[in-house]
Amino acid sequence: MKGIYSDQTSCYLYPEEPSIDDKVTIKLRIPKYLGKSIGSVIFTPQKNLKNYQHKPMQLSKETTYFYFFESTFKMPDRIVRYHFEIDLIEKGKKMFYDAMGIVENRTIHDFVLVADFKTPKWSHGSIYYQIFVDRFKNGDETNDPVSHEYQYDGQEVLKKDWNSLPDPKNGHREFYGGDLQGVLEKIDYLKDLGVETIYLNPIFVSPSPHKYDTQDYEHVDPHFGVIEEDSEDLNEKYKVRTTSIKNLEKSDEILKSLIQKAHEKGIKVILDGVFNHCGSFHKWVDEMDLYGEGSLHRDDSPYKSYFYWDGTQKSYEGWWGFHTLPKLNYGNISLWKYIADIGKKWVSEPFNADGWRLDVADDLGKSFEMNTAFWRFFYKVVKKSNPESIIFAEIYKSPLAWLERQCWDSIMNYITCMDPVSYFLTGMEKHNEHYKPELLKNAEYFVNSVRWALSQLPMNSKFIALNQLSNHDHSRWMTRTTQKVGRLGPKTHEEASLGKDLDVFKIGLVTMFTLPGSPGLFYGDEIGLEGWTDPDNRRPYPWGKESEENKMLFNFTKELIKMYKEHLALRKGSFDFLDWNGGYVSYASWNESENIITVINREEKEIDVELPLWLLDKKEGKIDLLFATKDFNLEDNSYNDGKKSLKIPEKIALVFKIN
């Protein structure tokens, strides 16, 4: 039963971001083919979850194919949850419609409206580029880590040649020399590609290349910044490099310059906040005795209460058991203030970063209550300092409970993008560690997965959520197209590209850019960089050694970004699936001024489809091709009677504009 629709964009909700006591109007669309109908909204304020109110809706508009109903209410304290009841009078039946669509054989997933939840306009559908700094570009060789500079996790660190590849077991001790100067040098490259927001993996002082084991939250790591004070004595080299005030302040200046130059180019910069745990080198623990006041060596350390200790007070709890990642104890209120002040520092003058990505955000603390209480505090402190900043969290499950409490603005969008797209197009789990053939070309599973995921994101969060197909934690999207199970060690670097499928790779990028959210490239995705999961996904960018295939994919990605930027309905618009079967799916993105349709055929054969354009309230007109992953000839671009028949070639993605 297609055609019933509502969402929380301006076409169906006004205002989109209401404050307490605002008059809020919500709309519902019911297709005329269902006959005479009446819509009602069923809603409950946060304080009265067991007492849903039933409010009739009035007919507000009639178009070629639809009736539109609306209802107005006053925004109560904090939250409203609502869904719709539809009385199909001529059919003698009633049905319910919620944030997932028509309710059949499942529980209700209410639309959620959060009062005073405001998000910056720049963040809606922004195009991200994630940079793992050590592997992106070496702009200053004088700050490179030196082989044997120090021991980390039981072994000495190594400096690697830029043209070599990561070792399967030593990735967290191998350095290539990438730095912030390298990012600065490539700002024009990113601008030319079309990037709007840079997301930097952690950049603060830390003994690893990944820097998720923070040593000092208050300064940029001199190995990424500036080393002026140094020592030739390997016994003290690391200490001098990472604790010299001159080095630390000069390194902070490099970040300030990078953000300033990015802003001049119209590019935002997001930092990575690792606040669930710190690193064993942090001054609060001080495994290497670099600072002289760490709780590992001193029972009277003022930082002892920042961690969880065993009965002997000699061994702390590590996150997931990792000794190098001491779990922080948020039962300590002084830790709350310190971490919130760090959040505030980097989004304020003189640095002016544009927000935070929060690492393993749902793990913080020992209870949901502690977790949400701290993040609400952090959120308020950061937003007060910089209202135009954003906060999004790493989480692999529904974030709704956190978003309702205004802990974050949004999430890394695994649930809407990386997981369902990967399974639909390749059958591969995001680490390349499992193959699920039953999910390959399973449009029903794909549609249901995306619909559920979108129901877990209030409208404010939906368009900020970071859509990715690759990142620092999972295998490269190109390697998933090989449909091989494996990882580096049992498999070789070369096997990460054997059997790769460029058609599927391109379809994936188009899907990522056309699903609701903010499309995000992991450095090198634009040229099809391959790699198994960590550490192979962190290969150095091959500057100056790009192949013809790399250059072709760069141009493809650049054209895709250009198309995306020209059509605001893709950045922030209503979204619904039109038709699907097997390896075929079509969906629409629309606003009051344009209608975009994406068609995906993952089948290995040509298929005949009939696009139901009446679902966009279009009876006759023209359909124009905006983008295709390979050659496609639209012989006749006219349509009539609300539908358009097309022959769709095998393994292709197409984007059309409906006029």
Side-chain angles (χ1 to χ4, degrees), residues 78-79 81 112 114 117 358 360-365 367-376 379 391 393-411 456-458 461:
R78 280 268 302 137
I79 286 179
R81 305 176 204 280
V112 176
V114 183
F117 184 6
L358 303 175
V360 294
D362 61 323
D363 275 12
L364 181 137
S367 69
F368 175 74
E369 289 72 24
M370 181 187 288
N371 180 296
T372 53
F374 171 74
W375 286 131
R376 285 187 69 187
Y379 181 94
I391 297 170
E394 178 190 24
I395 184 171
Y396 289 83
K397 59 191 178 191
S398 169
L400 190 54
W402 285 266
L403 297 173
E404 287 178 348
R405 288 163 176 79
Q406 285 183 274
C407 297
W408 319 315
D409 289 310
S410 196
I411 60 167
Q456 303 304 296
L457 292 163
S461 304

Side-chain angles (χ1 to χ4, degrees), residues 259-274:
I259 295 172
Q260 186 176 342
K261 184 172 180 184
H263 286 173
E264 288 169 3
K265 300 284 183 180
I267 297 173
K268 306 289 185 180
V269 180
I270 303 292
L271 303 179
D272 206 328
V274 190

